[in-house]
Structures are given as C-alpha cells and as structure tokens.
Amino acid sequence: MRPAPGRWNHPPVPTRLDLLRNQLDLTWSLLEYHLDRLDPDDLLWEPGPLCWTVRPRPDGTWVPDWSDEEPDPIPVPTGAWLTWHIGWWWSTALDHARGHPPRDRADVTWPGHTAAAVHWLRDLHAAWVDVLDGLTDDTLDAPAPFPWPPGSDRTVADMAAWVTAELMKNAAELGQLRLLRAAVS
C-alpha cells in the first residue's frame, strides 16, 4: 500500500528568522500603504497647538523638537517628526547591528521634504533587510547591543522584534495623522 500523496511531505517549519522577516514584511507593507499616499504637505501639518515637529536651522538642516525629559502634556508629533523618529532609531539600530558606534540623536536630521523622507525610510528598510539576511541562529542568540543596556539578557532576535514593533507603532501614528488631515481638509 502506498501512502497518500503528500502525506509524508510536511511543509517546512518556519525558522525564527523566517518569523522575524514575515513580521517585518507585514509591518513594512502597512507603512508603505501610507508612504505611497502622502501628499507633499502631510508631514509638516500640525494637528493642534501642542505639536512636536522638525524645524529648519539657518544652515538648512532640519532638526526635531526634543526634550530629554518626558513633557507633560505630551506633544502630538507631526508626520515629519515621526519620520525623523523612525530614521533616528532605525539608523541607531543599524549602527548597533553592524557593530558601528551608534550615531548621536543630534546627528540625525530630517531630509527636508516628504519625497526625501520617504526615500530615506525605504533605504533604511533595505539596509535592515540586508542585516536580517545576514543573521544566523547563533547571531540571533547573541546579546543585543540595542535598545537595552548591557547585561539585560536580551538577544539580537529581541532587537529585531523590537525594530518591527517600533515600526508598527510609528506606522500607525503616521497613518492616523494622514487620515485625520484628509478628514479635516
């Protein structure tokens, strides 16, 4: 008697890296949905009087509003601030993952307009996918250099999961701002 077709052909069990990539791909598609639909003025739109945004310096670089202490009340971030924030933490995560000294927050500036910000985020995504593609089970189990302090018992796999969680949160915030602006315009 022959076994039924496919009975012994089980699909492969996804690896941890497969799961991390699938989560990133899903989250990235949510952000892309909004990036593809941004109007040039969406990112600098301020939805209320208490906002954090990015502002040009006299030399033309765009810097974010920032406080080392949590403000109370918390300002509503603009889309520009959110895209800067994604660029800052993702650049820093990439630095850590590549073994480079992490750049200082003040050294990460906003590109200056919507198209450049979208391009910047897409470049960061591609760089992060390259990092993920180079990971192995051993590197996934290595101590995480970011965003936790040394000795936290967190791993590179935890860092990769954190990047996706942070991206999902920021994608939702950016999308909500875009939809709100469309609703009131």
Side-chain angles (χ1 to χ4, degrees):
M1 178 171 172
R2 295 177 60 182
R7 179 180 170 134
W8 304 108
N9 298 328
H10 298 287
V13 175
T15 66
R16 288 183 299 159
L17 187 55
D18 292 335
L19 293 172
L20 290 167
R21 281 294 304 276
N22 289 341
Q23 285 285 304
L24 177 66
D25 292 348
L26 172 62
T27 301
W28 181 252
S29 70
L30 296 172
L31 181 61
E32 274 288 350
Y33 177 84
H34 295 293
L35 294 180
D36 284 345
R37 290 160 178 78
L38 286 173
D39 288 331
D41 297 328
D42 280 345
L43 294 184
L44 290 171
W45 176 68
E46 295 187 14
L50 182 59
C51 289
W52 269 2
T53 192
V54 294
R55 301 176 195 285
R57 289 184 187 154
D59 68 0
T61 59
W62 288 74
V63 296
D65 294 331
W66 186 262
S67 173
D68 288 330
E69 309 249 338
E70 184 86 13
D72 184 20
I74 298 173
V76 175
T78 64
W81 193 93
L82 287 169
T83 56
W84 164 81
H85 186 249
I86 295 168
W88 168 49
W89 62 252
W90 218 344
S91 296
T92 304
L94 281 162
D95 290 341
H96 283 284
R98 293 172 171 160
H100 300 156
R103 62 198 84 194
D104 187 72
R105 177 191 48 79
D107 294 333
V108 179
T109 58
W110 192 65
H113 59 84
T114 299
V118 169
H119 181 75
W120 182 38
L121 297 181
R122 288 179 174 149
D123 283 351
L124 289 167
H125 171 256
W128 187 250
V129 168
D130 285 345
V131 165
L132 289 180
D133 286 347
L135 297 178
T136 65
D137 280 337
D138 288 341
T139 55
L140 286 172
D141 291 333
F146 180 77
W148 302 279
S152 66
D153 295 329
R154 298 294 185 137
T155 65
V156 170
D158 292 319
M159 179 177 68
W162 173 85
V163 163
T164 299
E166 188 70 17
L167 185 64
M168 184 177 293
K169 176 185 76 73
N170 290 153
E173 291 169 324
L174 184 64
Q176 189 63 41
L177 282 170
R178 187 185 70 77
L179 294 171
L180 183 59
R181 180 170 186 261
V184 299
S185 293

